Amino acid sequence: MTLTIREVALEKLRKQISQGNPIIGSGAGTGITAKFAEKGGTDLIIIYNSGRYRMAGRGSLAGLMPYGDANAIVMDMGSEVLPIVKETPVLAGVCGTDPFRIMPNFLRQLKDMGFHGVQNFPTVGLIDGTFRTNLEETGMGYDLEVEMIREAHELGMLTCPYVFTPEQAVAMTKAGADVLVPHMGLTTKGSIGAQSNLTLEESAKKVQEMRDAAVAINPDIIVLCHGGPIAEPEDAQYIFEHTEGIAGFFGASSIERLPTEVAIEKQARKFKDLSI
């Protein structure tokens, strides 16, 4: 029997886990990021509108602002990234609350383009307060993102949603999520990272709570960690050592923006220090 793209991707991920290797997902805002993330051994490549803003020097939260059509941007980015990636599954960040898309049709478009799966981004999970309450009250809430994941799962796509609470972890697991990504908020560090956020200790506790809630529904679900103070490899190592059952890390700013900031500045300084 021929395996679906979802089954092939999951087989590769579970092989990594069985070998004791962490699953690493990389956000890619450009083709060159995707190309070299793959060469570095990343297991998943995820493209969404924030990647474009991030690599344009803007904060990742620009992806939640009305600066462009998030789903159209992802399709445009797909044309840049998909042809350059050779083996690694590529996921599309889908704005599940987009009221101008017939979501099953859009998901089929993404699948036909060559995307292996989806993630829910931009996500209202990053929004709180009165604005978030009003979004939920007016039919633009997180439940639409859960439904998008359910529809993608039914299409045989790999589903890797962001979750922010144990309740959302349960909902996404029941919807058919394959890989769950507890999100700790905007990544700290670097020139345009967040300044106020959770501690690593607090993050480990929250990640564990969401993982445990999901595993109670589906013991086979794969759970990664992402965001907030989990910015550098040593931060991810801390989470691995202070949690149980976390299979890896998904980094966007951590893998794309932070090393780019350091490398370009360092190289420019080396040239500037030359003697004439």
Side-chain angles (χ1 to χ4, degrees):
M1 182 182 297
T2 303
L3 296 177
T4 65
I5 56 173
R6 170 181 172 270
E7 290 168 336
V8 170
L10 281 173
E11 191 175 82
K12 289 181 179 179
L13 296 180
R14 289 181 175 135
K15 182 178 180 181
Q16 288 295 313
I17 294 170
S18 70
Q19 294 174 344
N21 300 321
I23 300 299
I24 302 299
S26 301
T30 65
I32 197 167
T33 300
K35 181 177 182 177
F36 286 93
E38 182 173 51
K39 287 189 72 172
T42 195
D43 301 289
L44 297 167
I45 291 172
I46 304 90
I47 61 178
Y48 46 74
N49 69 331
S50 270
R52 173 162 289 180
Y53 295 123
R54 180 166 52 244
M55 297 311 285
R58 276 69 178 180
S60 295
L61 289 185
L64 275 70
M65 297 298 287
Y67 304 147
D69 180 338
N71 286 329
I73 288 171
V74 135
M75 293 188 75
D76 184 53
M77 293 172 69
S79 299
E80 178 180 344
V81 171
L82 288 167
I84 208 166
V85 176
K86 304 302 182 184
E87 302 289 340
T88 310
V90 180
L91 311 181
V94 176
C95 180
T97 59
D98 186 343
F100 301 104
R101 304 276 173 176
I102 300 173
M103 195 52 63
N105 294 353
F106 180 60
L107 293 172
R108 280 191 286 270
Q109 278 183 277
L110 293 173
K111 187 176 180 180
D112 289 344
M113 281 185 69
F115 283 101
H116 298 78
V118 298
Q119 186 172 59
N120 56 323
F121 194 92
T123 171
V124 299
L126 282 166
I127 301 171
D128 57 12
T130 302
F131 184 42
R132 172 62 181 280
T133 299
N134 290 164
L135 287 172
E136 298 288 343
E137 291 171 344
T138 54
M140 292 176 278
Y142 190 83
D143 285 351
L144 290 178
E145 299 179 26
V146 176
E147 184 57 28
M148 182 273 290
I149 292 297
R150 188 189 319 279
E151 291 166 347
H153 175 74
E154 291 172 356
L155 283 173
M157 302 181 81
L158 186 70
T159 51
C160 308
Y162 282 136
V163 294
F164 300 83
T165 67
E167 293 76 20
Q168 291 175 0
V170 168
M172 283 295 194
T173 303
K174 289 181 176 179
D178 299 304
V179 180
L180 211 64
V181 188
H183 196 308
M184 298 298 106
L186 185 65
T187 300
T188 60
K189 302 182 181 177
S191 65
I192 49 176
Q195 300 300 311
S196 57
N197 220 308
L198 300 167
T199 65
L200 280 171
E201 182 179 4
E202 291 168 336
S203 295
K205 181 179 178 181
K206 286 173 68 68
V207 168
Q208 189 71 61
E209 289 173 348
M210 286 183 254
R211 181 263 175 191
D212 292 347
V215 169
I217 305 298
N218 176 11
D220 294 325
I221 196 166
I222 297 169
V223 182
L224 312 182
C225 58
H226 169 75
I230 318 171
E232 301 284 358
E234 56 268 26
D235 302 325
Q237 187 65 53
Y238 178 94
I239 299 297
F240 299 160
E241 292 175 357
H242 291 81
T243 56
E244 292 184 6
I246 301 305
F249 169 74
F250 167 56
S253 294
S254 299
I255 290 176
E256 182 169 56
R257 174 177 63 81
L258 295 177
T260 299
E261 289 180 0
V262 174
I264 292 176
E265 180 178 352
K266 183 178 180 181
Q267 188 76 340
R269 291 187 184 281
K270 282 184 177 180
F271 277 106
K272 189 62 179 174
D273 289 339
L274 295 176
S275 299
I276 298 297

